[in-house]
Structure formats: C-alpha cells, structure tokens
Amino acid sequence: MGLTSETTVYVMAALAAVSVALLVWWWPRFARQGLLQVLGRLVALGTTQVVIIAAFACWLNSSYQFFGSWGELFGHVETAPVGVTAGGYGGTGTVNGVAVKGALVQPASDEQLSRVSGLPSGPAAVNGRVESVKVIGRRTGVIDPAFVYLPPQYFQKAYQRQRFPVIVALSGYPGSIFNLAQYLRVSQTAGALQKSGQMQPTIMVMIRPTIAPPRDTECVDVPGGPQTETFLARDLPDALKSAYRVGHDASAWGVMGYSSGGSCALQLTMRDPHVFTTAAALSPDYKVKDDPTTGNLFGNGPGRIKRINGHDLMWRLKHLPVPDVSVLVAESKHGERGYPQTQAFIKAVRAPMRVVSILPEHGSHNFPTWVQEMPPALKWMNQQLTFPQDVVPRHHKKTGPVVADPQKPGHAPLRADGPEPTSTARTRR
C-alpha cells in the first residue's frame, strides 16, 4: 500500500476504530486495582491515541501530498544513478508519448497528477499540457519530482523554433508539487491568463525545494549535506535546458513560491541573479534560521557567521552590492505576522534592484490568500521576462546543425494586457 493511497487511509481508519472498540471492551478489566492494571490502562490509552493520530496523519498526507512515499517519510530518498550524474546529458526519454531529450529529465508516475483538477485536456496545441517528470541533478545527484506546464504555442508549428520564458514555482515546507498544482492552481491560473492574452506563452515548472525529506533544507547548500541551492540554481536550469525549448538567458527566467518557497525565490534571485532575474514571494521570510526541521544548515567553524549572513536578505541589502533584479513581495496587513518585516524589506531595497508589493488589507498564511495573489503576481512576473528569448538552431538534412540565428538586440519585456497590479502593488525604484 502506498503512503498516499486511499487504501492506506481506509486501513488506518479501520485500525483506529478497532482500537477504540477494544479499549471500550477491555476497560472494565483494566479498571481493577494493581500495578499490572495501571500499566495496562496506560498502554491501551497510548496505543489508541497513536493509532488515531496516525490515521489522521495518513488522511492529511493523502489530501496534501506532503510525502509521496514511505521512503520519503523515513528519509530514504531516491538518488541519481552514477552514470547519469557523471555522464551529463546523454539519453532520450518520453513523457506522455512526447520525446524528452536528455537523461536529466525523465518520465515520472502520473499518480499525483491524475488527482489534480482543472488540468488542460484535449489537443496540446490548443490547450497546452502538464507533464509529470523527475529532474535529475547532474552535480548534486538529487532526483526531484516536478510538473511542467507547456503552453499551446509550444506545440504549434509557428513556434517550433521558439524558446520560451520559464517561471519556476516552489512549494513551501513540507509541501509538494501536488499542492502547487491542486491548491495554488499554478498551471490552471497561468493557462487562463495566457489564453485571455494577459500573459505571454510561458513554461511553468512546479517543483519542491525539499530535496532531502523530511528535512527542511530551505535554499541552502548545507556544509557536508544536501546542496539545495546548487540543485535549484544550477542543476534544475541545466536539466530543463537539455529537455525543453526554454530561454538560455537569465532574462527569461523567474522564480516564485509561497511561504518558505517564497523565501527561497527571493534567496535564489538575490544570490543567483545570473540565473533568475525575477522573483515573486508570497508570505516569505527574509532570513534563513536553524530550527528543529532544518537542523544545522550552516555548519560550524569560522565560516558559519558568513554563511548565515549570506542568507540574511536584510544584511545583504545593507552590506553587499544589490543585484539588478526585480522582485515582488506579498503580505497581508492584517492576518499575517510578517507585514512589518515586508515593509522593512521594501524600504531597504535600492537601485538597481526593483521591488513591487501586493499588500491586501486582510489575509492569512494559507492557500485562499495566495490564490488571490497569484494572477497579479504572474502578470507582473511575465512583464519582466523577455520574449522571444532566442531561437533553436536549424538542422540541415545533410550537414547537421548550423549556427543559430543571432538574437535580435533590444527585446522588449513581456507586456500583459489588462490592468497592472498597481492597485494592489506598490513600486519602489
């Protein structure tokens, strides 16, 4: 039985019901005086509570897909084959019958994807497609599941040599790509905006930053541990470029997320501006801290303070040159506790960095709030990315590949039809 299967939930619910029934049935015997009876009562109560909590946890995990398997729950994660991590881009796979070039992106199970509502169906050239894949880190050896939304234009003949801009969407902790697709509605929202002309054709990649579950590694390269920043800033772009027609310049790449995923989006854009030039952070934190879920993220020794400061965005704004990037931060004035920190971050940003904000009067640290913030955030991000980015090289039938057409200078940024997010966002330049 899989961890997320309905069978597991039903079995655990049945065990909980049986435990309660047995407790009621045997309680008169445990009510007698004596040490053994007292111990019996404690064991019976403890066992019943554990089974009930386990049943509830299985139901909650099945609904939100925090952990996809028993192995993930107990920290046994898949690692990349030696041949892949050492060999780079070789190989070819298929996803839903479509060839995916490069062994760094491989087909994955549709078990989670099949449970997501509102995904595009019918001809891909008309409605687009969402693919379930696993991304393999060439440097880190990490294997992380992902959903990739490809817009209809990706499959149309007129765009067959076109590279598309990319927005990477990151889940919070201990969230999953299922949460991004089902509850944040990333691909559904992007698809609707693109179909209505409010957003240019853009590839959406949904992935989790939790590469070593159940540990929360944030966006940190842990000394002697998981290399999360390297995976997201180097392995992930390389893998996507090897498999899909995505832009090769940083001006075509953006990253967004909610909660700790939003924190990660800001970290990646400010620390790796050569990879991501645009970020949207919904309810983020501005400093990475150690806690019981993260363990020691920064190691020990003389370099610890430097590593801590490097992941403190307010410290970076004060002490380091600011990158030439654009970021959006979203936080509710009432209902979320991070509003003062968000205001401080906005005030600390200086040129050439740019910041806008979405600051609703009321909201909470939950999906209903983030879903409301998604359309203006996506439209704003799309305006920052360049399109078209570049073109795929032509292949001559006899002589093979030739040099690609040079990128035309002066690409204008994407423009989204419809209202600008200025009604809910404030620009600071």
Side-chain angles (χ1 to χ4, degrees), residues 108-149:
S109 170
D110 285 340
E111 180 182 353
Q112 291 191 78
L113 193 61
S114 64
R115 302 178 59 185
V116 178
S117 61
L119 294 180
S121 58
V126 177
N127 301 315
R129 174 184 294 166
V130 178
E131 300 179 341
S132 178
V133 300
K134 55 184 177 181
V135 178
I136 300 174
R138 183 166 57 90
R139 298 171 184 83
T140 60
V142 169
I143 296 181
D144 211 22
F147 294 151
V148 179
Y149 166 76

Side-chain angles (χ1 to χ4, degrees), residues 185-207:
R185 316 291 289 176
V186 170
S187 57
Q188 298 90 323
T189 304
L193 291 173
Q194 293 178 35
K195 189 173 183 179
S196 64
Q198 300 181 71
M199 186 175 173
Q200 294 280 11
T202 304
I203 293 175
M204 306 294 299
V205 180
M206 292 159 273
I207 199 165

Side-chain angles (χ1 to χ4, degrees), residues 173-242:
Y173 175 83
S176 67
I177 56 176
F178 178 81
N179 291 350
L180 290 166
Q182 176 66 13
Y183 298 109
L184 196 60
R185 316 291 289 176
V186 170
S187 57
Q188 298 90 323
T189 304
L193 291 173
Q194 293 178 35
K195 189 173 183 179
S196 64
Q198 300 181 71
M199 186 175 173
Q200 294 280 11
T202 304
I203 293 175
M204 306 294 299
V205 180
M206 292 159 273
I207 199 165
R208 60 182 186 180
T210 307
I211 64 171
R215 185 180 184 182
D216 179 14
T217 54
E218 296 287 333
C219 255
V220 177
D221 280 349
V222 181
Q227 305 293 289
T228 310
E229 183 176 8
T230 295
F231 174 75
L232 293 172
R234 302 183 68 186
D235 284 346
L236 176 61
D238 282 355
L240 294 174
K241 289 173 184 177
S242 75

Side-chain angles (χ1 to χ4, degrees), residues 80-113:
V82 174
V84 173
T85 56
Y89 297 107
T92 301
T94 59
V95 178
N96 295 332
V98 176
V100 177
K101 299 178 182 178
L104 300 182
V105 176
Q106 299 179 3
S109 170
D110 285 340
E111 180 182 353
Q112 291 191 78
L113 193 61

Side-chain angles (χ1 to χ4, degrees), residues 22-46:
L22 289 175
L23 178 64
V24 173
W25 179 263
W26 287 99
W27 191 255
R29 297 189 181 186
F30 294 143
R32 300 171 185 171
Q33 298 295 323
L35 179 61
L36 291 178
Q37 285 72 20
V38 172
L39 292 176
R41 289 197 292 271
L42 292 174
V43 171
L45 287 171

Side-chain angles (χ1 to χ4, degrees), residues 124-365:
V126 177
N127 301 315
R129 174 184 294 166
V130 178
E131 300 179 341
S132 178
V133 300
K134 55 184 177 181
V135 178
I136 300 174
R138 183 166 57 90
R139 298 171 184 83
T140 60
V142 169
I143 296 181
D144 211 22
F147 294 151
V148 179
Y149 166 76
L150 302 171
Q153 291 82 357
Y154 190 87
F155 302 95
Q156 295 172 7
K157 187 176 181 179
Y159 292 82
Q160 64 183 355
R161 295 183 59 241
Q162 182 65 59
R163 298 189 189 275
F164 291 79
V166 182
I167 295 178
V168 176
L170 302 174
S171 65
Y173 175 83
S176 67
I177 56 176
F178 178 81
N179 291 350
L180 290 166
Q182 176 66 13
Y183 298 109
L184 196 60
R185 316 291 289 176
V186 170
S187 57
Q188 298 90 323
T189 304
L193 291 173
Q194 293 178 35
K195 189 173 183 179
S196 64
Q198 300 181 71
M199 186 175 173
Q200 294 280 11
T202 304
I203 293 175
M204 306 294 299
V205 180
M206 292 159 273
I207 199 165
R208 60 182 186 180
T210 307
I211 64 171
R215 185 180 184 182
D216 179 14
T217 54
E218 296 287 333
C219 255
V220 177
D221 280 349
V222 181
Q227 305 293 289
T228 310
E229 183 176 8
T230 295
F231 174 75
L232 293 172
R234 302 183 68 186
D235 284 346
L236 176 61
D238 282 355
L240 294 174
K241 289 173 184 177
S242 75
Y244 297 102
R245 299 196 314 275
V246 297
H248 282 199
D249 190 83
S251 62
W253 286 74
V255 58
M256 69 176 303
Y258 65 89
S259 191
S260 61
S263 307
C264 189
L266 289 179
Q267 294 275 341
L268 288 171
T269 304
M270 292 182 64
R271 289 174 56 86
D272 302 280
H274 58 287
V275 180
F276 299 102
T277 57
T278 302
L282 313 181
S283 306
D285 291 320
Y286 302 95
K287 181 178 181 179
V288 177
K289 301 178 182 179
D290 288 342
D291 63 35
T293 65
T294 65
N296 186 352
L297 291 175
F298 304 104
N300 300 310
R304 174 176 170 81
I305 298 301
K306 181 179 180 180
R307 289 189 288 269
I308 291 175
N309 289 338
H311 287 275
D312 183 340
L313 300 186
M314 296 299 292
W315 186 92
R316 295 184 68 90
L317 288 173
K318 184 177 181 180
H319 294 93
L320 299 178
V322 295
D324 185 7
V325 296
S326 300
V327 300
L328 178 150
V329 290
E331 193 84 27
S332 302
K333 296 179 181 179
H334 304 285
E336 293 191 89
R337 59 185 180 183
Y339 181 72
Q341 291 77 20
T342 295
Q343 286 285 66
F345 177 81
I346 293 171
K347 293 177 181 179
V349 171
R350 64 186 190 277
M353 185 174 172
R354 299 159 297 279
V355 61
V356 301
S357 58
I358 299 176
L359 305 173
E361 286 293 329
H362 299 279
S364 299
H365 198 81

